[in-house]
Amino acid sequence: MAKVFIDNIEYEVPNGKNMLEVALSLGLDLPYFCWHPAMHSVGACRQCAVTNYRDENDTRGRITMACMLDATDGTRISINDQKSKDFRAGNIESLMINHPHDCPVCDEGGECHLQDMTVMSGHNYRRYRFKKRTHINQDLGPFLNHEMNRCIQCYRCVRFYNDYAGGKDFGVFASAGRVYFGRSEPGTLENEFSGNLVEVCPTGVFTDKTLKKHFTRKWDLTSAPSVCHQCSVGCNILASERYGTMRRVMTRFNGDVNGYFLCDRGRFGYEYVNDEKRLTRAAQKDASSGSDPVSSVKAHIASRPKMIGIGSPRASLESNFMLKRLVGAENFYQGIPSNEADVINEVLRVLREGKVRTPSLKEMEDFDTVFVLGEDVTNTAPMMALGLRQTAKTLPKQKAYALRIQHWNDAAIREVVQDEKGPFFLATGYATKLEEVSTSVYHGDTNSLLKLSEAITNEIRSGSGDNQSGGFSHQVAQALLASEKPLIVSGTGMMSKSIVQAAANIAGALKDAGREVGIVYAVPEANSMGLAMLGAAGSLDDAISRVNNEKDLTAVVLETNLFYRTDNQTASDFLSHCHKTILIDSMENECTQEADFILPAGTFAESDGTMVNNEGRAQRYYQVFKPNNDMRSSWAWLDMMINQTEEARPYDDIIREMLEANPALEKIKTLAPAADFRIGTQKIPRQTHRFSGRTSMNAHVSVHEGKPPVDNDSPLTYTMEGYHGKPPSADIPFYWSPGWNSIQSINKYQIEVGGDLHGGNPGLRLIEPNENGITRFEVNSAGNNSGRYEVLPSWHIFGSGEMSAMSPAIEKRIPDVYIAVSDKALEKAGLQGADKISVRHQSATITLPVKVDNSLPDNVVLLPYGFKDTVGWRFPFKGELERGV
């Protein structure tokens, strides 16, 4: 600890901090622009000026930048000294000379860091009366709006996009005293994390284009803490609505998971919530009974039919549990194909029975050597890929630290590191974007990757390094053995149980060799792990087989589009063979045309629940608003069926029942405050104290202000009334503090800037390594179906997600469907020059345009996963290539 003095008050602070971090962590207000807690200091904006004194006898001091001043013993500064106050005010005035006077119409207005810092610096009136510098804006694609005239040249955008996220198509251009941040020519920003510029930019240069379509002032939004449902990482988000429609998604800080950032699928993939195809009313195919649909469903359940339940990896733990309780454990099936279920179940087994711990997303950044096996991480778990990009810098940064450069001094560190990367190896079925930070790569089919993994495992276990061939396996094994903290990354992307086991064996060998090893798996969907943890009688294939045999079953299908999970004919046959079908889902799809009963389910925006991410972390999400229709949480519909009631029991009752039946989930009891939690006597408001228009917005119904909806399931209210201090970390619906209206106010909610939230980060881990567990898993054969070519799934951040692909902005980024193959494979098959080719597997054939990818092994073919033309295909499989028609 170091003793520092700020305005003659002594503070004891952690070592290794700069004085800006110290001041903000102490709750003091000191303006800044270029500094960011995840990207640290470069000293570019000159806004955090303070007066630095040599000692207590120094009465003059000198102006210095707090972000570049080390907080060592005896450091003495003044924030309130008139010289530094004048400097900060003058600096703001110079930055504002060319800034437009457009705050009332700016998308960032009311949530603008520049506004906050201008007021904080005391610059109130503009003296400049001459012509301003102006720029031409660019079309940057469907996600971001560009307004370059608002730029203050803080360089945050280019530092994040290029240095942190690895972007290549964005930069800073300068000519004749002008500085421009954008692309060399207008066009869509290609990086998967471009949307973070909305929050990284302290002004309104980059704003959310999806919000702009239905713009609402930020203080008029109703928001709730939520969890992203677009992949398995479980990033924390703030979801906001107005007039009953979702308006935007922003980052909700979680120091253990996503920190300050989100991927573009998570940020912009929410718009399906507002889709015209949303199911809003309960319905029934046969209305001849005269009963309403809900009464008819309950009456059918009361007749005690033979039932099966189809669970879902996109439904909450509570919803899957209630379905399992309704139909019975022996009749509950996972709503995913058997190959996918087997791979996910194997991931769960490895994490439960193995000795190796899976780190959190934040902890991943502290490892020094990475080996990725069989996973296109950028497209299956994008935020994990962003974390791995930081991991690649861990060892090179040691050079800077050896020169006594502080961890916060980003400019000096980058000067030392340059483009050097740490040991980072990839062995995948095809080229992936993480190859940009890799040391060496290997591409192969499943069997080739398994042989490679076995060679690496054997060499690690022998520890001799006798393999002098210098091959890829030897290079990887020696780098992993030389590492103090190696990280093994794999997942379900190749849909191979054997790949999961092979990755576990490499990690196990390193564990036995005494290394502090971690293993991370990406799984397909938001609650894939939670569904697996609940246990099931089988997969969707087992349910289909049972329905085909028994034909008198009522199927309750929970948030599962059967036509997405299997081929059209199989899904249609399943529905026709069921005696009755009860569908609980949020979107109209092929299933709704054939279901007997439809109950509209809420999405993450209209429901409460718990999800379990890829590391086994349970996280609570809250309903954003109460829709004015029949939508309910899926667990609420199921509870009404079970108990034959008009309303569902409170959420806390469902939780208690679930924990009694599943002791492994016991920690969920303390995951978030119960519904009766109060701060004093007050609940936590979803609306800011500046919320306006709540009478006028319903004036077409009544000029009197109606009673707001009541939330019996959480400690939150749907109004602006309530406690406006700092709520528990799991229940923060928005960030705000006096003088801090922007997202930068997160620092007021943290124990120290960039650190954990007060009360701890949200979420609890349900899975920890078994100290007496397994380090050697038997690797099953990859199989050898007939066919010359192994057809693997190709994952796409935009397109491979079932729900996000329905969002208009995401839809614009989905590539055309294709069959990817190398030139050599085309030549061997005699298909040179073909525009379209076919892949034949048994009696099925798919014909699509050719995409040449020479990173592919000659015997590997790719099909995009989850695209409209490719749903229903079970990967991997062996097939033949033919000329398409």
Side-chain angles (χ1 to χ4, degrees), residues 440-453:
S440 185
V441 300
Y442 177 91
H443 301 141
D445 63 6
T446 303
N447 279 321
S448 299
L449 296 183
L450 292 177
K451 290 176 183 176
L452 174 75
S453 303

Side-chain angles (χ1 to χ4, degrees), residues 32-109:
Y32 62 89
F33 291 119
C34 66
W35 177 83
H36 188 281
M39 297 182 288
H40 305 299
S41 303
V42 291
C45 70
R46 321 306 288 170
Q47 192 56 46
C48 62
V50 294
T51 304
N52 181 27
Y53 301 95
R54 290 192 306 274
D55 53 40
E56 66 272 18
N57 299 316
D58 184 358
T59 58
R60 296 185 60 186
R62 62 188 180 90
I63 296 291
T64 190
M65 302 307 124
C67 72
M68 302 302 289
L69 180 60
D70 202 3
T72 57
D73 243 354
T75 301
R76 186 178 293 267
I77 66 167
S78 173
I79 295 173
N80 295 320
D81 177 71
Q82 194 59 44
K83 291 195 299 292
S84 55
K85 288 171 71 175
D86 291 344
F87 184 97
R88 295 194 298 267
N91 192 64
I92 274 281
E93 183 172 28
S94 68
L95 291 175
M96 296 295 286
I97 281 177
N98 286 296
H99 196 81
H101 297 213
D102 67 345
C103 291
V105 296
C106 175
D107 291 0
E108 198 76 358

Side-chain angles (χ1 to χ4, degrees), residues 345-360:
N345 289 335
E346 189 64 16
V347 169
L348 179 60
R349 185 174 81 93
V350 167
L351 297 184
R352 276 179 165 172
E353 299 180 11
K355 274 188 176 182
V356 181
R357 184 178 185 272
T358 183
S360 69

Side-chain angles (χ1 to χ4, degrees), residues 519-597:
I519 188 165
V520 179
Y521 289 107
V523 293
E525 298 186 55
N527 205 27
S528 292
M529 291 294 283
L531 181 60
M533 291 179 76
L534 282 176
S539 67
L540 179 59
D541 296 340
D542 297 312
I544 290 169
S545 176
R546 184 171 168 190
V547 166
N548 289 341
N549 291 330
E550 299 187 28
K551 300 217 170 48
D552 60 346
L553 296 170
T554 291
V556 184
V557 182
L558 172 65
E559 298 187 41
T560 298
N561 180 2
L562 298 171
F563 291 83
Y564 182 83
R565 303 293 176 180
T566 189
D567 64 272
N568 290 352
Q569 189 61 53
T570 302
S572 186
D573 288 347
F574 173 86
L575 294 169
S576 63
H577 290 160
C578 289
H579 172 58
K580 293 288 184 182
T581 307
I582 302 170
L583 178 66
I584 306 174
D585 211 342
S586 56
M587 296 288 288
E588 180 184 333
N589 53 50
E590 294 92 331
C591 289
T592 57
Q593 308 303 316
E594 302 188 38
D596 295 287
F597 304 101

